[in-house]
Amino acid sequence: MCVNAEKIFFSVEKVKEVSMFTHIRSSWSILLALMVATSLVSFAGCSSDPEVVEKIVEVEKIVEVEKEQPKETIIFSNLNWDSALLQNSIARYIIENGYGYPTDAVDGNTVSLFPALQDGTTHVTMEIWLPNQQDVWDEAMKEGSVVSVGSSLDDNWQSMFVIPKYVQDANPGLVSYKDIEAHKDLFVTPDSDGKARLVSCIAGWKCEQVNTAKHEVYGMDSYVKLVDPGSAAALFADLEGAYAREDNWLGYIWGPTKTAATLDLVVLEEEPCPPGCDPSLGYAYPVADVLIAVHPSLPARAPDVIEMFRKYDFTAASQVSAEGWMADNDESLDNTAVWWLKNDDAWKAWVTSEAEAKITA
């Protein structure tokens, strides 16, 4: 039985077009192509037109197609505070669903996870706070063991000496950290050894080291006892509980956070930190640069992700609204990330149109 050669011209020409742009690696694909070519040549025998035969046998010129290699996992530093954890959830959702990379995370704190980023145990850290981490950051940049690719949390602040506004209203002389000694009795508790109780930064965070150094530089050992809250959640609970009772409270707090945004707080005055200064030497914390850093191996293997990070802009307002929704609804970080992506279009400016469509879907 003969096949009309003209009916297969279209298919052959299409095969030729595809063969110019594709490569097939799989051996079964090559075998199948040769079988098709052999069959077509047999069919061509029914035609007396040499051009038909020539066009059909050219199907044998199919070359190999390269299969897309699976993408390597991108590992995030799971720093133990809400803004960093929430940004991880948002970035991971974007990267997994928009760009097709699997992701994972390693739990830890500032001190433990910075070396992990340097040695490639993790690949992305969403919050490097400067100048808190300035010394290790500068050294890592000299070594080339980290790469800065973006920034976040523009409107931030932190202080070792925060009190509720009602405390200052009742004690108008309490304006500066220098006034704490004269007002220490306001903050004495049964477990503070007759000293003012100051709830400090969490152990394992760089700010805990800074606060300890400032405590010494300011000569506070005789009248201020530093207390480790244990965790960020415990720190906020300590303040919120005191605030609800209108108790006197003194300690370290930072923003953007839901607690700092919703409570009426006062920062006691310190000497302003000149550009490039180290606050541990006896200065107020300056507004921080919060950077996104990656391991040097990541730009080469995930350039599309790096491009996204360079456009990334998670604002303080975004953090406060997302953290507030999470607390009000008792939701998980991952569900909060999805809620934010659904309710704020800011992320669409960070990603490609193709990634946006996939994430939206």
Side-chain angles (χ1 to χ4, degrees):
M1 175 180 171
C2 291
V3 175
N4 187 335
E6 292 186 3
K7 291 183 178 179
I8 64 173
F9 285 168
F10 177 78
S11 298
V12 174
E13 291 300 330
K14 287 298 180 185
V15 170
K16 287 170 64 182
E17 286 181 29
V18 172
S19 71
M20 293 172 64
F21 300 96
T22 61
H23 297 281
I24 303 177
R25 274 232 167 144
S26 308
S27 59
W28 64 267
S29 298
I30 298 172
L31 179 59
L32 178 60
L34 292 174
M35 290 171 64
V36 171
T38 303
S39 299
L40 291 176
V41 170
S42 297
F43 293 149
C46 300
S47 171
S48 59
D49 187 346
E51 185 179 353
V52 175
V53 177
E54 180 183 352
K55 288 186 175 181
I56 293 174
V57 296
E58 285 185 7
V59 77
E60 295 183 34
K61 294 183 180 178
I62 297 175
V63 286
E64 298 186 11
V65 167
E66 292 187 10
K67 285 186 176 179
E68 184 177 353
Q69 296 298 313
K71 295 180 177 180
E72 295 180 39
T73 300
I74 297 175
I75 302 174
F76 281 71
S77 303
N78 246 11
L79 295 163
N80 56 346
W81 61 86
D82 281 348
S83 62
L85 292 169
L86 180 57
Q87 290 198 78
N88 277 4
S89 292
I90 290 171
R92 290 179 65 182
Y93 195 94
I94 288 172
I95 291 168
E96 288 181 2
N97 294 282
Y99 295 91
Y101 293 85
T103 71
D104 203 346
V106 174
D107 295 335
N109 55 40
T110 308
V111 174
S112 66
L113 286 176
F114 193 80
L117 178 66
Q118 289 180 282
D119 66 23
T121 301
T122 69
H123 307 125
V124 180
T125 299
M126 294 300 293
E127 293 190 20
I128 300 289
W129 283 66
L130 304 180
N132 294 29
Q133 298 172 259
Q134 197 74 57
D135 51 350
V136 294
W137 176 257
D138 289 344
E139 185 63 28
M141 289 294 286
K142 288 179 184 177
E143 295 172 354
S145 57
V146 296
V147 177
S148 176
V149 295
S151 61
S152 64
L153 297 182
D154 51 349
D155 187 17
N156 62 74
W157 65 274
Q158 57 186 315
S159 176
M160 179 178 176
F161 306 108
V162 178
I163 59 174
K165 179 66 163 55
Y166 59 76
V167 176
Q168 190 178 67
D169 290 343
N171 302 275
L174 184 54
V175 177
S176 162
Y177 79 95
K178 296 176 181 178
D179 302 320
I180 293 174
E181 185 171 13
H183 293 82
K184 73 170 186 176
D185 291 344
L186 294 174
F187 308 107
V188 172
T189 61
D191 59 350
S192 67
D193 303 328
K195 303 177 184 180
R197 174 181 183 265
L198 188 153
V199 185
S200 190
C201 186
I202 293 85
W205 294 15
K206 184 66 178 180
C207 51
E208 187 266 341
Q209 297 176 5
V210 173
N211 288 356
T212 300
K214 289 169 73 167
H215 180 264
E216 182 176 352
V217 168
Y218 289 153
M220 291 181 159
D221 185 60
S222 64
Y223 62 92
V224 171
K225 180 178 181 177
L226 298 181
V227 175
D228 176 8
S231 69
L235 171 59
F236 290 131
D238 195 277
L239 170 56
E240 290 167 2
Y243 199 95
R245 298 186 301 269
E246 293 195 0
D247 289 345
N248 298 325
W249 191 90
L250 171 67
Y252 171 85
I253 289 293
W254 78 97
T257 59
K258 177 180 181 292
T259 300
T262 55
L263 302 186
D264 193 0
L265 305 174
V266 172
V267 173
L268 298 182
E269 296 174 0
E270 295 177 81
E271 188 71 21
C273 201
C277 89
D278 181 352
S280 66
L281 298 179
Y283 297 96
Y285 284 97
V287 173
D289 291 325
V290 184
L291 306 181
I292 302 169
V294 302
H295 186 263
S297 66
L298 191 63
R301 70 177 177 91
D304 46 357
V305 171
I306 299 302
E307 182 181 359
M308 184 273 290
F309 280 139
R310 294 198 185 280
K311 297 177 181 177
Y312 188 96
D313 184 23
F314 192 70
T315 65
S318 293
Q319 168 60 28
V320 170
S321 67
E323 187 180 341
W325 184 87
M326 180 170 65
D328 293 343
N329 294 277
D330 193 25
E331 275 290 358
S332 67
L333 287 159
D334 288 345
N335 287 345
T336 302
V338 173
W339 173 86
W340 185 81
L341 290 165
K342 286 182 176 179
N343 290 276
D344 194 318
D345 289 339
W347 62 273
K348 295 180 180 179
W350 314 339
V351 302
T352 63
S353 56
E354 181 182 3
E356 179 187 341
K358 291 178 180 178
I359 294 161
T360 302

